Amino acid sequence: MKQAQQLPRPALLWIIVAQALLLLPHLPRLPLWVAGVYLLAFAWRVQAFRGRMELPGRWLKVVLALAAIAGIVLSFGSLFGVEPMVAFLLTAFALKLTEMRSRKDAYVVIFLGYFVCLTEFLFSQDLLIVVYSLLLVWVLTTALVAVHRPAGRLRDLRPLRKAGVMLLQAVPLMLVLFFLFPRIGPLWSVPIKSHTAQTGMSDRLRPGDVSRLSQSTEVAFRAQFDGEIPAVSQLYWRGMVLSSLEDSTWRSLRYFEIPAQERRAPRLDTEGDPLRYSIIMAPTQQNWLFALRYAQTARPGVMELNDYRLYSPAIIENEYRYEVQSWPDTPIEKELSPWRRGVETSLPAVDNPRTRALAGRLYETTDTPREFVAAVLDYFSNESFFYTLQPPLLGDTDMMDQFVFDSRRGFCEHYAYAFAVMMRSAGIPARIVGGYLGGEINPVNRTVIVHQFDAHAWNEVWLEGEGWVRVDPTAAVSPDRILYGLERAVAAEGSFLSDSPLSPLRYRGIGWINSMRLRYDALTYRWQSWVTGFDGQAQFDLLRGVLGEISVSRSLGLLLGAGVLTMGIVSLFLFRGARARRRPVFEEELLRFQRALWRRGLAPIAGETPGQLTERAVLRWPQQAETLRALYRALERSVYAPLPTSQDGNRLRRELRKRIRGIQFSL
Amino acid sequence: MSPGKKALIDAAVDEVATVLLGKESQLRLAICCLLASGHLLIEDLPGMGKTTLSHALAQVLGLSYKRVQFTSDLLPADILGLSIYHRNDHSFHFHPGPIFTQVLLADEINRSTPRTQSALLEAMAEGQVTLEGETRALPTPFFVIATQNPLEQSGTYPLPESQLDRFLMRIELGYPDAGAERAMLRGSGEGTQKRTLKRCIDEAALAAIRAAVDEVHVSDSLLDYIQRIAARSRQGGEFAVGLSPRGVLALLRSAKTWALMDDRDHALPDDVQAVLPAVTAHRLQPGGGFSGDGLALVALLRRDVDVV
């Protein structure tokens, strides 16, 4: 191997460090053996560098590659899908190290590293990941710099510094691209979440679903109100409306089940000032959006369904931001269509006979539907019902009979279910609403953080003259849940977040941990609203603000212009910085003389003195020998000889410049 | 500055050139070294004219000359001298060694032990020797011209870097070109070795020249250039050791002397470049990944550093 081709030792070290750091965030998603491949590749490459081992030959490499493919298929069951693909890429990335012989191969590894760095964003766009990726880019660039440096000491940190400076210089261009580069949709379809299920509430509800969700500490969404935040106990975030009961499972109405004339909800008349707030939702892989009732949004593409909830026809795959206005006191659907009434009172033919009988008995003791509602709620609060995160499993048939008469231990969905059944059996339209209740107010930035464990189910009952009225039977059983949240409601049980021992949410009692958590959350919100929330729509709005009318040529011109401008400013700055070094008198003129000769076709030679350059010029233009030598002599004296004190520096400078211009013309 | 100095120096160069043919650039460097009050190291194979050169230099400068052949059993006393008991007057008398001269040729300096080498090198640095508690000044001017054979390294003690640094310049003579060799062969019958050369520079002129060297003007631009060279030699993996401050001073002094020899009252980057290989090559050590020797490093310095 030629000396020039041999990789410098620090470069190899930087590449290995970069690879290890690149692997790190992927580790939880990878089978353990991939990490083993990395260690093997590192050891192999280092031993090869020390001359103890040979790098693998062609056949061994083929075997290794096949083994890697087989390993991925065995571990993931398939080679397709994002996770196996990324795992495959990472494995190949490690093996690439064992065929890295020359500088050229190092380029391949490093550039592949930049790509691998991007793959992390397929899984998370968290602020920490972004910061970490910037670090990775820094380390990779350092490796790139180190490849170009002669071998030196291992602990030489100059490449790190140089790479850092280079990246800082690239920041303006990064900003230009961030703001102006078109947000192009994926050119090919990537089945991104092949292994991760839908998260959050689903549109089917069986007893046990919500309580399972309540073990999750994930953030469902964050909301920021324009004015005062309403009382937490009034924050009923409606997500889906479950009107149909089949096989002990509640579900939303399908689009085609709704008669055509009722598919769109008429806009309601609203009075007074609405609550204004914006929501940034975590991706759910589902369609519905969460809002307080009666909500309207200006976001294009969001539909209002006939049961007065917001719906996005496109699945929410990324963080999703929308502005909402809500009028909580507006009555919904004062007039009920016959079809709607039929749907909202239907029950399976024979089901839960004891519960229905109980409803009948209670109904007979009351005069109005409103009194009946109160009677049922009284029944829940007076009888020995318990609110628990760990309800006993119920059999598949007559579930509510088992719950109301036998177990009497349930979570919100049990109460909502029982309540809806009892209302419907008395002929009163009722349904279950799923969503979240309350949230945590972050004092740092006044956002409401709604976690998955805030998931809740309640009811809406239709009353003559009032429309759909919210009734929360859980409140009758456990007022604490409504007023103070889930943690307090199940405090005696100790079941809150019992599955997440490490979540910072569990340590809210410890002041500084909680304060750190809330601060980080505020930072995340800011990040989401300013950076990851800057999507195609936001960019479109910005561009329209700047350009007025948007056309390809205008946008392209703006992009290019801004890019050239920022890089121009940066390079001007660098250039000035280099020139700002104080030049002793007249050196500038000597430089001009040199440049004039270079421009006239004498190629610069590294390390050539002006005197040598002049002699070359004399060979090239012999007829100008006198002038050239005389001018050089004058310049040489002005730069290197002591200047007579009597001489006027500025005049001499002007004269020299004139002579330089003169010679430039005469050559 | 009087133009007479350049004439004197040119005459000296021409005079030496009559015995060492075709080596004018090395001759000029050697004379530059002596005029700059530095010691000279000549590194070359046997028979290239090292001794001839040093003897001729002493003659044209009209200086006293002694030669010591270094061997592995040479002791410091053999160079510095020693006190011998005289029975007649029952006392010790100091017998000065060969070092008490103005030009000392230390032939094959790397053959002697470090102990002897360092005795010589101390004298070179201080201009004096200390024996038995008594300090004796060496005559002025005092030049050491040492020679070293780069081959046949068995049984030798190569000078360590710290001592190489004390030589202002190191030059290599190299084979003569065909024309010079022909002239030498033609003239060989006359016995060039035996011919005594004319004294060209007397002691007063030498002192005047040395004083004039100090007067040569050095502008900020030139200092910038020299500092850029030094900085380049101290960064980058090619260099294990950069230029020491002593090395930088040597470069400056040599460049000034070179300017004087060119009859100028100010030094130029051209002067720096002219003396750069001789002054710096033996002070630079290639670092880990660099395959070239000191001269390749000098080429790197010359190429990488902008003159203006």
Side-chain angles (χ1 to χ4, degrees):
Chain A
M1 207 181 305
K2 275 185 294 181
Q3 182 75 27
Q5 286 286 302
Q6 169 87 12
L7 278 180
R9 194 158 60 132
L12 182 64
L13 182 78
W14 281 115
I15 289 174
I16 288 180
V17 168
Q19 284 202 315
L21 291 177
L22 279 166
L23 175 70
L24 207 59
H26 287 282
L27 269 181
R29 282 184 300 271
L30 290 176
L32 206 58
W33 60 264
V34 176
V37 173
Y38 271 79
L39 292 181
L40 183 78
F42 292 163
W44 202 330
R45 192 61 189 79
V46 169
Q47 289 296 73
F49 185 85
R50 301 169 68 195
R52 304 276 172 85
M53 281 172 80
E54 283 292 311
L55 287 176
R58 183 187 304 170
W59 288 110
L60 189 50
K61 278 194 278 194
V62 171
V63 170
L64 283 173
L66 289 176
I69 296 175
I72 300 289
V73 172
L74 282 179
S75 301
F76 288 92
S78 146
L79 201 54
F80 300 100
V82 164
E83 291 194 355
M85 272 305 184
V86 170
F88 183 54
L89 177 68
L90 283 164
T91 315
F93 186 44
L95 291 178
K96 190 74 198 156
L97 195 63
T98 64
E99 60 171 14
M100 186 178 72
R101 292 169 195 275
S102 63
R103 186 181 277 182
K104 193 184 73 185
D105 299 329
Y107 290 150
V108 175
V109 172
I110 292 171
F111 290 143
L112 200 56
Y114 286 113
F115 184 74
V116 169
C117 184
L118 275 183
T119 57
E120 181 57 33
F121 291 109
L122 293 174
F123 303 101
S124 164
Q125 301 188 7
D126 192 82
L127 181 57
L128 282 181
I129 286 293
V130 174
V131 172
Y132 187 76
S133 298
L134 286 178
L135 176 82
L136 283 178
V137 170
W138 189 12
V139 173
L140 280 167
T141 311
T142 305
L144 200 55
V145 172
V147 165
H148 285 266
R149 289 182 78 95
R153 282 165 321 197
L154 270 187
R155 270 196 240 144
D156 187 359
L157 291 182
R158 275 174 302 193
L160 196 65
R161 199 189 129 113
K162 176 147 198 157
V165 169
M166 282 163 60
L167 290 181
L168 285 181
Q169 287 161 356
V171 164
L173 189 63
M174 180 186 87
L175 292 178
V176 167
L177 292 178
F178 174 76
F179 282 110
L180 299 180
F181 197 80
R183 297 289 190 273
I184 303 171
L187 298 177
W188 62 94
S189 169
V190 188
I192 288 205
K193 300 283 173 175
S194 58
H195 283 262
T196 47
Q198 298 174 332
T199 51
M201 302 284 290
S202 95
D203 64 341
R204 307 174 73 83
L205 183 87
R206 262 176 89 84
D209 286 353
V210 183
S211 47
R212 217 166 17 251
L213 202 53
S214 296
Q215 291 292 354
S216 165
T217 60
E218 304 267 309
V219 171
F221 57 86
R222 296 183 176 83
Q224 186 154 43
F225 286 86
D226 272 359
E228 283 289 294
I229 303 176
V232 171
S233 59
Q234 289 306 309
L235 296 176
Y236 280 85
W237 305 98
R238 291 170 97 239
M240 62 235 69
V241 175
L242 311 163
S243 299
S244 170
L245 174 62
E246 284 168 351
D247 301 331
S248 308
T249 303
W250 288 86
R251 64 168 176 82
S252 300
L253 292 175
R254 306 262 181 274
Y255 188 66
F256 54 82
E257 291 171 334
I258 303 169
Q261 69 274 18
E262 300 210 22
R263 280 181 188 162
R264 306 226 81 184
R267 284 245 153 166
L268 300 178
D269 297 330
T270 54
E271 276 179 24
D273 286 337
L275 291 169
R276 289 173 211 275
Y277 51 100
S278 64
I279 288 182
I280 298 180
M281 218 169 102
T284 56
Q285 312 304 322
Q286 309 191 83
N287 298 84
W288 40 85
L289 309 176
F290 296 92
L292 303 175
R293 72 175 253 182
Y294 168 63
Q296 290 181 354
T297 176
R299 171 139 185 151
V302 175
M303 296 164 56
E304 286 167 31
L305 293 191
N306 66 332
D307 36 21
Y308 298 96
R309 58 195 167 100
L310 303 178
Y311 184 89
S312 157
I315 285 177
I316 310 288
E317 283 179 326
N318 298 309
E319 270 155 19
Y320 192 77
R321 183 191 170 110
Y322 50 101
E323 316 276 337
V324 192
Q325 298 187 346
S326 285
W327 292 263
D329 300 326
T330 300
I332 292 177
E333 218 172 358
K334 274 187 173 169
E335 305 295 328
L336 210 56
S337 72
W339 169 81
R340 177 59 82 177
R341 178 181 289 273
V343 167
E344 304 287 14
T345 53
S346 76
L347 280 175
V350 280
D351 191 356
N352 298 317
R354 291 154 77 194
T355 310
R356 292 191 192 197
L358 169 68
R361 283 202 305 280
L362 288 173
Y363 188 60
E364 281 169 16
T365 63
T366 58
D367 300 329
T368 61
R370 182 163 273 288
E371 281 177 34
F372 176 57
V373 169
V376 171
L377 293 178
D378 280 346
Y379 179 79
F380 283 139
S381 66
N382 295 335
E383 298 291 320
S384 55
F385 283 91
F386 289 99
Y387 181 70
T388 172
L389 251 175
Q390 295 155 332
L393 270 178
L394 302 174
D396 271 347
T397 52
D398 297 340
M399 234 180 213
M400 284 304 105
D401 281 2
Q402 297 172 45
F403 167 64
V404 174
F405 296 98
D406 303 335
S407 74
R408 296 197 156 180
R409 299 166 60 77
F411 199 57
C412 57
E413 71 263 36
H414 296 82
Y415 296 99
Y417 188 165
F419 183 83
V421 168
M422 287 164 84
M423 286 297 132
R424 286 192 176 188
S425 69
I428 300 172
R431 58 196 185 188
I432 296 182
V433 181
Y436 298 89
L437 167 58
E440 178 187 18
I441 294 175
N442 187 346
V444 180
N445 59 349
R446 308 290 298 163
T447 51
V448 179
I449 312 165
V450 178
H451 296 93
Q452 292 296 357
F453 60 71
D454 291 316
H456 191 52
W458 62 95
N459 298 100
E460 281 178 350
V461 181
W462 188 84
L463 298 175
E464 194 68 50
E466 294 180 66
W468 289 101
V469 175
R470 183 178 70 221
V471 177
D472 189 352
T474 307
V477 183
S478 169
D480 282 354
R481 167 70 183 97
I482 313 307
L483 289 173
Y484 305 112
L486 179 65
E487 183 179 13
R488 182 99 166 248
V490 296
E493 199 172 74
S495 55
F496 180 68
L497 301 185
S498 54
D499 289 353
S500 323
L502 286 180
S503 164
L505 276 163
R506 286 197 61 154
Y507 305 102
R508 275 191 282 193
I510 304 173
W512 65 270
I513 292 187
N514 198 37
S515 143
M516 291 262 289
R517 180 182 67 86
L518 290 172
R519 267 169 209 288
Y520 180 67
D521 196 273
L523 206 61
T524 302
Y525 179 81
R526 193 164 281 204
W527 175 251
Q528 287 178 343
S529 45
W530 289 0
V531 181
T532 56
F534 187 78
D535 52 10
Q537 184 64 40
Q539 188 184 36
F540 187 81
D541 295 342
L542 177 82
L543 283 183
R544 199 166 44 192
V546 175
L547 294 178
E549 173 211 356
I550 296 185
S551 68
V552 174
S553 56
R554 279 194 184 191
S555 327
L556 208 60
L558 184 65
L559 177 62
L560 288 179
V564 168
L565 192 68
T566 43
M567 286 331 277
I569 291 171
V570 168
S571 28
L572 199 67
F573 184 72
L574 291 176
F575 187 65
R576 299 292 318 172
R579 298 293 294 276
R581 202 187 66 204
R582 191 184 53 81
R583 286 212 172 274
V585 254
F586 299 114
E587 231 180 59
E588 193 63 43
E589 281 65 39
L590 190 53
L591 275 173
R592 281 178 185 224
F593 174 65
Q594 280 188 311
R595 278 200 294 267
L597 292 183
W598 291 336
R599 268 202 293 272
R600 284 280 166 261
L602 288 178
I605 296 177
E608 192 179 40
T609 65
Q612 291 156 358
L613 181 66
T614 309
E615 288 310 308
R616 271 207 295 150
V618 166
L619 283 179
R620 173 87 171 264
W621 297 286
Q623 69 280 14
Q624 298 284 346
E626 286 300 306
T627 338
L628 282 167
R629 285 205 176 113
L631 178 53
Y632 167 68
R633 198 73 58 209
L635 285 163
E636 178 212 296
R637 288 208 67 81
S638 61
V639 176
Y640 295 107
L643 198 65
T645 44
S646 60
Q647 192 146 13
D648 178 359
N650 284 328
R651 219 172 101 191
L652 179 60
R653 173 173 290 120
R654 276 197 298 277
E655 187 210 316
L656 286 173
R657 290 190 177 188
K658 209 169 121 190
R659 286 171 72 182
I660 292 169
R661 275 197 299 277
I663 202 133
Q664 213 173 340
F665 279 115
S666 57
L667 288 182
Chain B
M1 183 196 119
S2 70
K5 294 198 184 79
K6 179 177 162 62
L8 288 178
I9 297 166
D10 285 347
V13 172
D14 291 344
E15 187 68 19
V16 179
T18 59
V19 291
L20 197 71
L21 303 173
K23 295 284 164 220
E24 193 174 342
S25 66
Q26 284 93 332
L27 284 182
R28 291 191 77 86
L29 281 170
I31 287 186
C32 173
C33 178
L34 299 189
L35 296 181
S37 320
H39 305 287
L40 180 67
L41 179 65
I42 308 176
E43 191 171 277
D44 220 319
L45 301 172
M48 304 299 267
K50 300 188 290 267
T51 315
T52 312
L53 172 63
S54 57
H55 198 177
L57 286 173
Q59 282 183 325
V60 295
L61 295 177
L63 301 174
S64 62
Y65 172 80
K66 284 194 179 121
R67 168 180 175 168
V68 180
Q69 181 70 37
F70 277 49
T71 58
S72 57
D73 54 358
L74 192 77
L75 293 176
D78 296 334
I79 304 173
L80 306 179
L82 73 170
S83 296
I84 292 174
Y85 183 69
H86 281 222
R87 291 175 56 152
N88 307 351
D89 49 6
H90 305 287
S91 66
F92 285 93
H93 283 259
F94 180 69
H95 288 243
I99 198 163
F100 289 90
T101 183
Q102 286 173 310
V103 176
L104 176 73
L105 173 62
D107 218 356
E108 305 214 58
I109 190 171
N110 56 337
R111 292 217 168 271
S112 76
T113 55
R115 186 178 161 205
T116 310
Q117 288 173 1
S118 59
L120 173 66
L121 291 161
E122 186 218 331
M124 284 164 55
E126 314 282 336
Q128 60 188 26
V129 291
T130 305
L131 274 171
E132 293 151 19
E134 201 175 330
T135 300
R136 295 167 207 273
L138 293 171
T140 50
F142 175 68
F143 298 125
V144 172
I145 300 174
T147 72
Q148 197 168 222
N149 183 348
L151 293 182
E152 294 177 37
Q153 290 299 317
S154 67
T156 65
Y157 304 90
L159 291 177
E161 286 83 30
S162 61
Q163 302 200 336
L164 280 176
D165 207 25
R166 302 200 177 170
F167 288 97
L168 184 72
M169 290 190 192
R170 183 190 68 178
I171 59 174
E172 291 168 16
L173 291 175
Y175 296 109
D177 58 33
E181 192 154 39
R182 174 64 65 92
M184 182 190 82
L185 291 172
R186 277 195 198 289
S188 63
E190 297 168 23
T192 40
Q193 293 282 346
K194 297 284 176 264
R195 226 192 89 199
T196 41
L197 299 178
K198 191 172 76 211
R199 180 179 193 178
C200 300
I201 303 173
D202 59 16
E203 261 180 66
L206 186 60
I209 290 173
R210 287 181 149 191
V213 167
D214 293 330
E215 298 296 313
V216 169
H217 178 77
V218 177
S219 71
D220 282 344
S221 295
L222 192 73
L223 290 181
D224 280 354
Y225 179 51
I226 291 177
Q227 280 193 298
R228 282 200 293 274
I229 290 178
R232 175 66 183 91
S233 79
R234 290 162 191 169
Q235 75 191 15
E238 301 97 333
F239 297 88
V241 192
L243 275 185
S244 63
R246 175 157 53 192
V248 180
L249 280 172
L251 184 59
L252 178 63
R253 185 158 184 82
S254 308
K256 286 164 83 170
T257 313
W258 195 264
L260 186 79
M261 289 169 69
D262 201 22
D263 208 10
R264 253 184 289 110
D265 62 350
H266 56 275
L268 292 182
D270 305 72
D271 302 322
V272 175
Q273 288 193 357
V275 298
L276 190 66
V279 176
T280 58
H282 62 292
R283 299 168 202 264
L284 297 172
Q285 290 290 316
F290 191 76
S291 57
D293 59 356
L295 283 172
L297 289 174
V298 172
L300 210 61
L301 286 181
R302 190 180 174 283
R303 193 195 69 203
D304 286 359
V305 179
D306 286 336
V307 177
V308 188

